[in-house]
Amino acid sequence: MAATETDEFVESLTEQDLAHEEEILRNPFSIKHWMRYLDHLRSEKKYKKEPKRLYMVYERALKQLPGSYKLWHAYLVLRKGHVLKKSPKDPAVQELFATFERSLVFMNKMPRIWIEYCDFAVKTGRVTQTRRIFDRALRSLPITQHNRIWPMYLNFVTKKHLIPETATRIYKRYLKLCPENAEDFIEYLLSVGRLDEAAVRLAHLVNNENFTSRKGKSNYVLWNELCNLISKNPKEVTSLDVDAIIRSGLRRYTDQIGALWTSLADYYVRSGLFERSRDIYEEGISSVTTVRDFSQIFDAYAQFEEAALTKLMESDDVDDLIIEMRLARLENLMERRPLLLNSVLLRQNPHNVNEWLKRVDLLKEKPKEVIAAFTEGVQTVDPKQAVGKLNALWVAFAKFYEDAGQLDDARVIFEKSTHVPYMKVDDLGHVWCEWAEMELRHKNYKEALRLMYTATTPPVGQRAAYSDDSATVQARLYKNLKLWSFYADLEESFGTYKSCKAVYDRIIDLKIATPQIIMNYGIFLEENQYFEEAFKAYEKGISLFKWPHVFDLWNTYLAKFLERYGGDKIERARDLFEQCLETCPAQHAKNFYLLYAKLEEKHGAARRSMNVYERACKAVDKKDQYQMFNIYIQKAATLYGVTKTRPIFEAAMEVLPDADARQMGIRFAELETKLGEIDRARAIYAHTSQICDPRVSADFWAAWKDFEVRHGNEDTIREMLRVKRSVQALYNTQFTANLIAQQTQLTPSAIPERTETTAEASEIAAAAVISEPPPPPRRPDQVSFVRGDTLVQTHNMDTTNPDEIELDEDDEEDNEKDEEMEVEKVTIPTEVFGSLKPDDVGADEDE
């Protein structure tokens, strides 16, 4: 410091300053005392306005302690804060540069000093000087501290100033230390327009298998960015072989082939090589194997052609012939689309027969190409991997020659197709049938028969079971039913009786006949007047099959036999019916019993027919029993009279289900009513009522009420109502018992036979039932018939119930009123009562 400045400083010292000066004089090498003195000075307002005096103390301290990082850092930060507010041309700025240089003599290994120095240099705007300071810092500091300098350095050259060349060189140095940050460098190169270098760097990253993106990008994403970069900037990117790069991507990324082909074609389009781009599009379309890639390339191709055509049409000096050629090229491209798509699908699966047939249909206007497609198809498709029927392709090939009038060539194709190892025997049989049909279309009937004979003849020494998959289809063809059926049809149409019969017999001997084949055989023999032979054929078929497959055979056989002989061979017909019914299931027996009974009615005895009807009622299915009983009753009434139907009614009510038995009981009662047996009819109604729940069977109770109105009196009606209540109570009791069983998680079979409730209900029912003995407390599944002469009148019945609930007078009066109201509801004509005798009705309970 100059003498003048020192004198001024001494004169301005206060008492506190002097105290600190004395401490410093006593301890000149104590950082603590210097820092205490400096803190005191910084707190003084006068030193804030005149920092030079503060600088003087810092200089004195650093002179005593030049190696103190704490003093240097505080001093530099203080001066930096004052200088940054001034103009970069101010002399104080240069002085601070010199101060930083002096500090680095001692602090050149301290990164914080370098950071402050670099930050100060950046803010002054001196580019070259700042760059050199950053370089000196990197050279001075150890490499472990470089990560603190590089971010400032890169920020300085990339964002503070636009100096691409310098920034590129600095970035290259930085990537030697941190190669994982190459993506930042690429982004910077793209931002400054250095696309060629960016593409080179990006290609290097893509080829580096050990590179891991810090931004989470996969290798494919980087590759896609590279393709977009080089394809959209062909003139800027000159250091890379774009064609080779994209083609390598085609081998590497098979799921993005469409996008890569489009990028390669786009590269040539932007390069102005339009013909080359068309070649690329064509190559891409002819090599892809998925519809998605094909659609992507084809759409780009069509868009390119449309854009090129539009541009030509907008030009004024273009020849019309060129425009027409370009337009024809675009139309040809659109017309080729179905065929190109078909080629893609065939490349995807060359064993798809349906696609080969579609290809042939697309080329139908070009015979030579059709033949080439057929030839390629039959040579390519493997029968074991074929999708669709390979025989359809061979047949279509032969029909193509047939339609062209080349029968010899068609026969050659059919001959070759018969040696193909198909997966199924039916496929080979279809080929033989199509070959024979072709001969039939051209009226070569003998040739068609010869072909069928050849096809059905087993190879010598190669006979195999039809289900043996290990054998060839040619060795199993002789048992193909489709082929034999066609052969039989041909023999019926163009052969002789003996040859056709031999074919049918051969089918039966091979045990491949179906019921339809047997029926066709029988019809053929009948048409040729060989009726007994036809019956033998039916019998053979019956011996081959079981129920229900034999149903149609028996039905046809019996119908034909009866039509042929009628009653001439009655015993033989009976034997046939017995043989049929011996094993006939119940669901198929109805028709045969009716046919049998009709035979006996027409040509046999009435007694036999009744026996047949009786057997039928027991043998047919449950759902057919009601109808069969009705037929039985009708026939019995016709043959023997109405009175002979009573046993049939009784048997029907024993056997039929409740719903049908209910209807049968009503009919039985109506019959007895017509016969004047009123008591028997009433007994039948009472008996049938045990299976008629009043809540469900309203029609029965209505019929009984109508009967009593016409033929009964007040007592019989009262008795009917009492029976109705007892039956309803019985059903209610059973319903309650079942409900209790469900609530206690018991099955109905686990409920005791008699409980308090069921016993009471049983006694009530016993008091109301008019038959002897009384019914059990539960309704049985099968009720037995009660004859009318066993009806017991109510005055002879002991109605005393020891467990009867005693009712008071009011309750008894209410019950009597209810009964009277129910009776009053039934209007009985007076003439009915007048026609009744006292013995015809039951006595009143009150008597």
Side-chain angles (χ1 to χ4, degrees):
M1 292 183 295
T4 306
E5 293 178 356
T6 304
D7 294 341
E8 292 178 357
F9 176 74
V10 172
E11 291 176 358
S12 63
L13 292 175
T14 62
E15 292 182 0
Q16 292 181 354
D17 295 340
L18 291 174
H20 284 290
E21 288 287 344
E22 289 177 358
E23 288 183 358
I24 289 172
L25 290 174
R26 287 193 296 268
N27 301 290
F29 301 105
S30 174
I31 296 177
K32 182 174 65 175
H33 290 84
W34 282 109
M35 292 303 297
R36 189 183 301 166
Y37 187 18
L38 292 170
D39 291 340
H40 165 69
L41 294 176
R42 280 198 298 269
S43 63
E44 295 290 336
K45 294 182 179 180
K46 61 180 180 180
Y47 293 110
K48 293 181 180 180
K49 297 180 180 180
E50 298 179 1
K52 288 186 177 180
R53 296 185 179 182
L54 188 59
Y55 297 164
M56 292 174 60
V57 177
Y58 269 110
E59 291 289 347
R60 288 170 57 199
L62 290 171
K63 187 175 182 181
Q64 298 296 330
L65 299 168
S68 175
Y69 166 77
K70 193 172 184 179
L71 287 173
W72 276 115
H73 184 266
Y75 181 33
L76 294 174
V77 171
L78 178 64
R79 294 198 64 173
K80 177 183 171 184
H82 295 160
V83 169
L84 289 178
K85 299 176 183 179
K86 299 180 180 180
S87 173
K89 297 181 180 180
D90 194 288
V93 175
Q94 190 60 36
E95 290 179 4
L96 184 55
F97 272 110
T99 303
F100 268 111
E101 292 294 336
R102 285 192 295 112
S103 69
L104 292 174
V105 174
F106 303 97
M107 300 286 110
N108 63 331
K109 298 299 182 182
M110 297 298 174
R112 192 63 209 173
I113 302 297
W114 282 109
I115 290 172
E116 294 293 341
Y117 191 12
C118 294
D119 182 63
F120 170 69
V122 169
K123 292 179 179 178
T124 59
R126 301 182 180 184
V127 179
T128 302
Q129 186 177 359
T130 303
R131 179 175 57 80
R132 290 175 180 173
I133 292 171
F134 273 113
D135 292 341
R136 286 172 55 201
L138 293 172
R139 287 196 297 269
S140 299
L141 294 174
I143 195 170
T144 55
Q145 302 291 338
H146 284 193
N147 59 338
R148 305 181 67 179
I149 304 298
W150 275 115
M152 297 176 60
Y153 200 179
L154 295 175
N155 186 63
F156 164 68
V157 296
T158 57
K159 297 181 180 179
K160 295 293 183 180
H161 304 282
L162 186 60
I163 43 177
E165 184 62 32
T166 302
T168 302
R169 293 176 181 270
I170 292 172
Y171 246 120
K172 290 179 180 179
R173 290 167 51 198
Y174 171 65
L175 292 180
K176 292 180 181 180
L177 178 66
C178 301
E180 66 274 7
N181 294 325
E183 291 176 278
D184 297 333
F185 183 33
I186 294 172
E187 290 180 359
Y188 174 73
L189 292 174
L190 294 175
S191 64
V192 298
R194 296 200 167 197
L195 304 181
D196 186 62
E197 191 170 357
V200 173
R201 286 283 174 178
L202 192 55
H204 178 71
L205 294 184
V206 170
N207 294 327
N208 186 7
E209 297 180 355
N210 298 324
F211 176 75
T212 302
S213 174
R214 300 187 67 179
K215 297 185 178 182
K217 296 180 180 180
S218 63
N219 191 269
Y220 168 71
V221 173
L222 296 174
W223 183 274
N224 195 26
E225 291 179 359
L226 175 61
C227 291
N228 291 334
L229 177 62
I230 61 181
S231 62
K232 293 181 180 180
N233 304 280
K235 296 181 179 179
E236 289 81 1
V237 180
T238 57
S239 301
L240 296 177
D241 187 353
V242 178
D243 191 284
I245 290 175
I246 296 181
R247 287 183 183 276
S248 65
L250 293 172
R251 296 186 296 270
R252 190 172 182 180
Y253 302 104
T254 55
D255 57 335
Q256 297 294 330
I257 290 180
L260 293 175
W261 277 113
T262 305
S263 298
L264 182 57
D266 188 37
Y267 167 76
Y268 285 110
V269 170
R270 294 177 182 273
S271 300
L273 303 174
F274 301 119
E275 292 300 328
R276 178 60 177 161
S277 66
R278 289 189 180 91
D279 295 340
I280 295 298
Y281 279 124
E282 291 288 346
E283 184 180 358
I285 288 175
S286 61
S287 62
V288 295
T289 57
T290 63
V291 177
R292 179 176 63 89
D293 294 334
F294 168 79
S295 300
Q296 192 172 0
I297 298 174
F298 186 86
D299 292 344
Y301 191 9
Q303 186 177 2
F304 160 69
E305 290 291 354
E306 289 177 359
L309 181 60
T310 302
K311 190 173 182 179
L312 283 176
M313 295 176 69
E314 291 176 354
S315 301
D316 297 332
D317 55 346
V318 179
D319 190 1
D320 293 340
L321 181 59
I322 298 177
I323 294 178
E324 291 179 1
M325 291 176 61
R326 293 293 178 85
L327 185 59
R329 176 184 288 177
L330 178 59
E331 292 176 353
N332 180 50
L333 176 63
M334 302 309 292
E335 291 175 358
R336 288 167 50 211
R337 190 182 191 282
L339 189 61
L340 294 173
L341 180 59
N342 178 262
S343 300
V344 172
L345 295 175
L346 287 177
R347 284 194 296 272
Q348 187 177 6
N349 183 11
H351 307 289
N352 193 328
V353 176
N354 296 326
E355 292 301 327
W356 282 109
L357 293 174
K358 288 181 182 179
R359 186 174 187 83
V360 170
D361 186 60
L362 292 172
L363 296 171
K364 59 185 177 182
E365 302 297 334
K366 303 174 181 178
K368 292 185 178 179
E369 295 186 11
V370 169
I371 295 173
F374 269 124
T375 304
E376 185 181 1
V378 297
Q379 292 177 352
T380 303
V381 177
D382 184 3
K384 295 181 179 180
Q385 304 179 36
V387 178
K389 293 187 175 296
L390 179 58
N391 58 299
L393 185 62
W394 280 100
V395 170
F397 195 5
K399 284 185 176 181
F400 172 75
Y401 280 114
E402 180 189 358
D403 295 339
Q406 302 176 5
L407 293 181
D408 293 337
D409 293 332
R411 293 187 181 100
V412 171
I413 297 300
F414 273 122
E415 177 65 27
K416 291 183 178 179
S417 65
T418 57
H419 300 289
V420 176
Y422 300 103
M423 292 297 295
K424 297 180 180 179
V425 180
D426 283 342
D427 296 342
L428 180 58
H430 177 72
V431 171
W432 280 103
C433 292
E434 289 290 342
W435 191 356
E437 286 181 0
M438 183 192 74
E439 299 295 346
L440 291 178
R441 285 193 292 269
H442 296 278
K443 300 182 180 181
N444 298 325
Y445 307 123
K446 292 184 178 180
E447 181 65 19
L449 291 172
R450 186 192 68 79
L451 288 174
M452 289 295 99
Y453 176 78
T454 304
T456 54
T457 303
V460 179
Q462 297 184 11
R463 183 177 300 185
Y466 190 80
S467 59
D468 186 8
D469 294 335
S470 60
T472 62
V473 292
Q474 284 78 11
R476 295 181 285 158
L477 180 64
Y478 72 99
K479 280 193 174 184
N480 183 252
L481 180 60
K482 181 179 179 181
L483 196 64
W484 278 105
S485 300
F486 186 68
Y487 190 12
D489 291 342
L490 286 182
E491 287 291 350
E492 285 189 31
S493 302
F494 308 108
T496 62
Y497 166 75
K498 290 184 178 180
S499 62
C500 184
K501 185 175 182 299
V503 170
Y504 277 115
D505 290 338
R506 182 60 177 161
I507 294 175
I508 296 174
D509 293 340
L510 290 174
K511 297 181 179 180
I512 60 174
T514 62
Q516 186 61 46
I517 293 291
I518 300 298
M519 294 181 68
N520 293 342
Y521 188 17
I523 293 172
F524 165 74
L525 292 172
E526 290 175 14
E527 290 175 353
N528 289 274
Q529 306 299 318
Y530 290 94
F531 298 102
E532 285 298 329
E533 291 292 335
F535 297 152
K536 289 181 181 179
Y538 286 127
E539 290 177 358
K540 285 183 180 180
I542 290 169
S543 64
L544 290 176
F545 305 104
K546 295 182 179 180
W547 293 92
H549 308 291
V550 79
F551 172 78
D552 291 331
L553 289 177
W554 270 118
N555 201 14
T556 305
Y557 183 20
L558 293 174
K560 296 287 185 182
F561 188 86
L562 295 179
E563 181 184 356
R564 174 67 179 168
Y565 295 111
D568 295 342
K569 297 185 178 182
I570 186 73
E571 292 299 330
R572 182 178 173 186
R574 287 170 180 164
D575 291 340
L576 289 176
F577 275 108
E578 293 297 336
Q579 181 184 353
C580 172
L581 296 173
E582 183 179 359
T583 57
C584 181
Q587 59 267 28
H588 299 295
K590 175 184 171 183
N591 294 333
F592 295 111
Y593 274 110
L594 291 176
L595 197 62
Y596 192 7
K598 184 178 180 182
L599 171 67
E600 293 293 352
E601 288 179 27
K602 190 173 182 180
H603 304 288
R607 179 176 55 82
R608 282 182 173 274
S609 66
M610 290 298 102
N611 291 337
V612 172
Y613 281 121
E614 183 178 1
R615 288 172 56 191
C617 291
K618 299 177 182 178
V620 297
D621 197 19
K622 291 289 184 183
K623 63 182 181 179
D624 298 326
Q625 277 186 327
Y626 180 71
Q627 184 181 3
M628 185 57 68
F629 269 112
N630 287 333
I631 298 173
Y632 187 17
I633 292 170
Q634 181 182 359
K635 294 296 182 181
T638 303
L639 295 175
Y640 296 108
V642 178
T643 56
K644 294 296 183 179
T645 60
R646 286 171 176 165
I648 303 175
F649 275 110
E650 295 175 5
M653 294 184 67
E654 291 285 342
V655 175
L656 291 176
D658 289 349
D660 295 334
R662 191 179 303 123
Q663 298 296 326
M664 193 62 71
I666 295 174
R667 290 187 57 196
F668 193 10
E670 291 176 352
L671 173 65
E672 295 293 351
T673 304
K674 291 178 181 179
L675 294 175
E677 298 289 344
I678 304 301
D679 290 344
R680 291 179 62 88
R682 184 175 290 112
I684 293 170
Y685 276 120
H687 170 70
T688 311
S689 66
Q690 303 304 306
I691 58 173
C692 299
D693 185 357
R695 295 169 298 182
V696 178
S697 306
D699 55 344
F700 169 80
W701 294 102
W704 193 0
K705 181 183 290 187
D706 183 63
F707 167 79
E708 294 295 349
V709 167
R710 288 186 283 109
H711 304 286
N713 56 23
E714 183 178 354
D715 295 333
T716 58
I717 292 175
R718 188 184 300 277
E719 188 64 27
M720 179 199 70
L721 296 175
R722 186 178 293 109
V723 172
K724 182 177 181 181
R725 287 196 301 273
S726 65
V727 172
Q728 186 168 3
L730 177 62
Y731 276 96
N732 290 340
T733 303
Q734 292 178 350
F735 176 76
T736 304
N738 291 333
L739 184 61
I740 294 173
Q742 293 177 2
Q743 291 177 350
T744 56
Q745 296 182 352
L746 292 174
T747 60
S749 60
I751 303 175
E753 285 299 323
R754 289 185 64 86
T755 61
E756 245 180 71
T757 309
T758 57
E760 183 181 352
S762 300
E763 291 168 1
I764 295 173
V769 175
I770 60 175
S771 61
E772 185 71 23
R778 286 192 175 189
R779 179 180 61 82
D781 293 335
Q782 302 296 336
V783 295
S784 48
F785 181 72
V786 180
R787 298 181 59 82
D789 54 6
T790 61
L791 181 66
V792 180
Q793 301 297 332
T794 56
H795 67 276
N796 294 328
M797 295 175 60
D798 184 8
T799 59
T800 304
N801 185 4
D803 297 329
E804 183 178 5
I805 300 174
E806 295 183 0
L807 302 175
D808 53 15
E809 296 180 358
D810 296 335
D811 293 336
E812 291 179 356
E813 292 178 359
D814 292 340
N815 289 338
E816 291 177 358
K817 289 180 181 180
D818 293 341
E819 291 182 357
E820 291 175 359
M821 290 176 65
E822 290 183 357
V823 174
E824 289 175 359
K825 291 179 183 178
V826 183
T827 304
I828 304 176
T830 55
E831 58 271 13
V832 174
F833 288 128
S835 62
L836 292 176
K837 298 178 180 180
D839 297 334
D840 294 337
V841 297
D844 191 6
E845 186 179 358
D846 295 336
E847 295 178 359

